[in-house]
Amino acid sequence: TLTNEPEMFFAYNNGLTVTAEELEIKDNRILKAKNLQIVNGGQTTASIFMSKFNNKQKIDLKNVSLQVKLSVIDSEKVDMIVPQISKSSNTQNKVSAADFFSNHPFHKTIEDFSRRILAPASEDQLSETYWFYERARGQYVNKQAKMTQSERKKFKAINPRRQMFTKTDLAKFENCFNNMPQAVCKGAQWNFGKFAEEITGKDDSSKGLWEKNEMAYNELWFKNLVAKAIMFNFLKDNMMKQVWYAGYRANIIAYALSKFSYEIRKAGKFIDFSAIWKTQSVSPAMGSELLELSESINYLITATDENVTQFCKKDDCWKLIKESKYELPSNLNRDLLDGETAFEQKIDAKKKQKVLSGINIQIAVIDKPQEYWTALYNFCSK
């Protein structure tokens, strides 16, 4: 339509569904919008934008008009209403569960940590780096869109591509260590939906983990998450090099990490994630043990008469792995913590998070312009 009948674009296209928190309007023109989001019309927007670069057809946009439904949402209700608008207006397209959960405070908190906390330099790095959390799809690429070549090189040096992880990756890391390998094996979106339920609650009548204990999601939690990602990536990078490997990598990783963490907890111990964070790697002893455990899990899941991929999605598979014989080797003691030390770490992290939350509230107050507080003062005076 843009090429052949640009004047009919308005008639043929569904238009955009857009939300904002505030609008500044003068002479019937929108001058400024706060937190503008296109919640339906991504393909339309991309098509119009990319037409500028179509040199062969030389598309002229002068005669193109587009209808827009713009809803102004109260800032306190944005996180609740915008996902509902998105869900309702996208019923004709497949939009993933991950897209509807990206504005939850949980994700904003993890995003803040990922932009602020520098990870120690590993053996193959010269400087500290970030683990870039992509709260919304395309953030990593979009950050680089307007950068020069030298700026992009600098950005990638401190935000390595291999250290970028998405919401579905996060759910995968967490549920592997939450002893839910069967959920992980059901696919990224299904597993993410399960994880979202845990964080927010299944429905309005049930409280999620975030509401029950928001302070638990602190800097220590983020560093532990990165440590889990390092363990996950270690198996991902090394499993295919093993002589016994013949496929089902994703399933074996999910069950190996679940079994490993399950047996450690059963022994009254905890994985020393802080040590993994500090070195940005797993120790030789832990790496060797994880690969040995993966080998035994490979034999267990492939011994079934069922389709292996389907079998790994069932509770029966986790029951089989969970009940299989396993002994923690003594050379792993350096990689583990006792219950008291792990508990002290969590309590200390919660205390620090309370202080940080207080500081963030003060920052939010100072960031508001003078006009905001003057308007509030005048409102209260009335």
Side-chain angles (χ1 to χ4, degrees):
T1 308
L2 289 172
T3 308
N4 302 321
E5 298 178 277
E7 70 283 351
M8 295 302 291
F9 197 83
F10 182 89
Y12 294 161
N13 190 275
N14 285 335
L16 307 183
T17 301
V18 181
T19 63
E21 288 184 34
E22 291 175 20
L23 292 181
E24 187 180 316
I25 300 173
K26 187 177 180 182
D27 299 328
N28 289 325
R29 293 175 70 88
I30 298 172
L31 304 181
K32 198 182 288 185
K34 181 183 176 184
N35 194 14
L36 191 77
Q37 296 185 63
I38 298 172
V39 295
N40 185 305
Q43 290 174 335
T44 297
T45 310
S47 298
I48 295 171
F49 177 75
M50 294 308 294
S51 69
K52 292 164 61 181
F53 306 102
N54 194 328
N55 296 323
K56 288 182 181 179
Q57 294 176 315
K58 293 182 180 178
I59 296 171
D60 185 4
L61 299 178
K62 285 180 184 175
N63 296 320
V64 174
S65 296
L66 182 69
Q67 60 178 326
V68 176
K69 180 180 77 173
L70 174 57
S71 302
V72 181
I73 313 293
D74 188 293
S75 59
E76 292 181 1
K77 298 178 181 177
V78 164
D79 292 341
M80 179 179 70
I81 294 177
V82 171
Q84 293 302 321
I85 294 174
S86 182
K87 191 179 288 186
S88 303
S89 58
N90 277 290
T91 50
Q92 78 279 17
N93 298 320
K94 185 181 178 182
V95 181
S96 66
D99 295 325
F100 295 129
F101 185 32
S102 59
N103 285 324
H104 191 276
F106 166 82
H107 290 293
K108 291 182 177 179
T109 300
I110 306 307
E111 181 185 37
D112 173 59
F113 290 149
S114 78
R115 305 294 190 270
R116 188 164 50 78
I117 301 173
L118 280 162
S122 60
E123 285 184 1
D124 59 342
Q125 291 171 331
L126 296 173
S127 59
E128 296 175 318
T129 55
Y130 292 104
W131 280 77
F132 189 99
Y133 178 52
E134 201 174 67
R135 178 175 66 85
R137 277 188 292 180
Q139 276 184 318
Y140 186 78
V141 173
N142 293 341
K143 280 270 184 186
Q144 305 170 55
K146 294 180 182 178
M147 292 180 179
T148 62
Q149 195 168 350
S150 61
E151 286 172 337
R152 199 172 290 127
K153 189 177 178 182
K154 187 179 177 182
F155 175 84
K156 286 181 177 179
I158 59 170
N159 295 279
R161 182 68 179 79
R162 68 178 181 276
Q163 289 179 198
M164 187 277 281
F165 63 104
T166 65
K167 296 189 293 293
T168 52
D169 292 330
L170 184 154
K172 212 182 292 179
F173 304 149
E174 279 300 293
N175 280 350
C176 280
F177 286 86
N178 287 338
N179 300 149
M180 297 167 66
Q182 67 276 53
V184 176
C185 291
K186 285 182 181 179
Q189 289 302 326
W190 198 97
N191 180 61
F192 183 83
K194 195 74 178 169
F195 178 73
E197 279 183 4
E198 295 292 318
I199 297 296
T200 62
K202 288 187 179 181
D203 49 50
D204 295 337
S205 62
S206 62
K207 282 186 179 181
L209 295 175
W210 176 265
E211 197 177 345
K212 287 177 182 175
N213 193 4
E214 182 183 328
M215 290 299 164
Y217 300 97
N218 46 50
E219 288 193 9
L220 177 67
W221 190 93
F222 176 76
K223 290 175 181 179
N224 288 353
L225 172 71
V226 170
K228 292 169 186 176
I230 291 168
M231 292 174 70
F232 188 99
N233 291 338
F234 169 82
L235 284 178
K236 193 176 175 183
D237 295 339
N238 290 280
M239 189 174 295
M240 293 172 75
K241 302 172 189 175
Q242 307 305 306
V243 292
W244 51 264
Y245 178 75
Y248 309 111
R249 183 175 67 169
N251 301 307
I252 296 169
I253 292 173
Y255 277 95
L257 293 175
S258 289
K259 174 70 171 173
F260 188 64
S261 58
Y262 170 76
E263 291 292 343
I264 287 169
R265 274 200 292 268
K266 200 166 81 171
K269 301 281 186 178
F270 296 85
I271 299 169
D272 189 357
F273 291 122
S274 296
I276 298 172
W277 165 263
K278 285 171 187 171
T279 60
Q280 291 292 289
S281 62
V282 299
S283 70
M286 183 180 285
S288 175
E289 184 58 28
L290 283 171
L291 288 170
E292 276 190 38
L293 180 57
S294 297
E295 183 179 2
S296 64
I297 283 169
N298 172 60
Y299 293 129
L300 284 168
I301 64 172
T302 53
T304 179
D305 294 331
E306 298 181 50
N307 176 287
V308 174
T309 306
Q310 294 304 315
F311 178 58
C312 288
K313 296 176 183 179
K314 296 180 178 180
D315 292 341
D316 287 345
C317 184
W318 175 226
K319 187 182 178 187
L320 172 72
I321 303 294
K322 197 162 57 172
E323 293 175 356
S324 63
K325 271 190 171 184
Y326 179 78
E327 284 186 26
L328 276 175
S330 57
N331 65 344
L332 266 185
N333 286 336
R334 289 184 180 181
D335 296 303
L336 306 178
L337 298 173
D338 58 60
E340 190 177 344
T341 307
F343 180 73
E344 284 173 1
Q345 280 187 357
K346 284 190 175 184
I347 295 298
D348 186 50
K350 279 187 182 180
K351 287 178 181 175
K352 285 179 181 176
Q353 188 59 37
K354 281 185 180 178
V355 174
L356 284 169
S357 296
I359 292 168
N360 288 335
I361 290 167
Q362 292 174 52
I363 291 170
V365 169
I366 292 166
D367 280 349
K368 291 280 187 188
Q370 184 182 340
E371 296 81 27
Y372 176 89
W373 296 115
T374 304
L376 179 62
Y377 177 80
N378 290 336
F379 173 80
C380 292
S381 298
K382 288 175 185 177

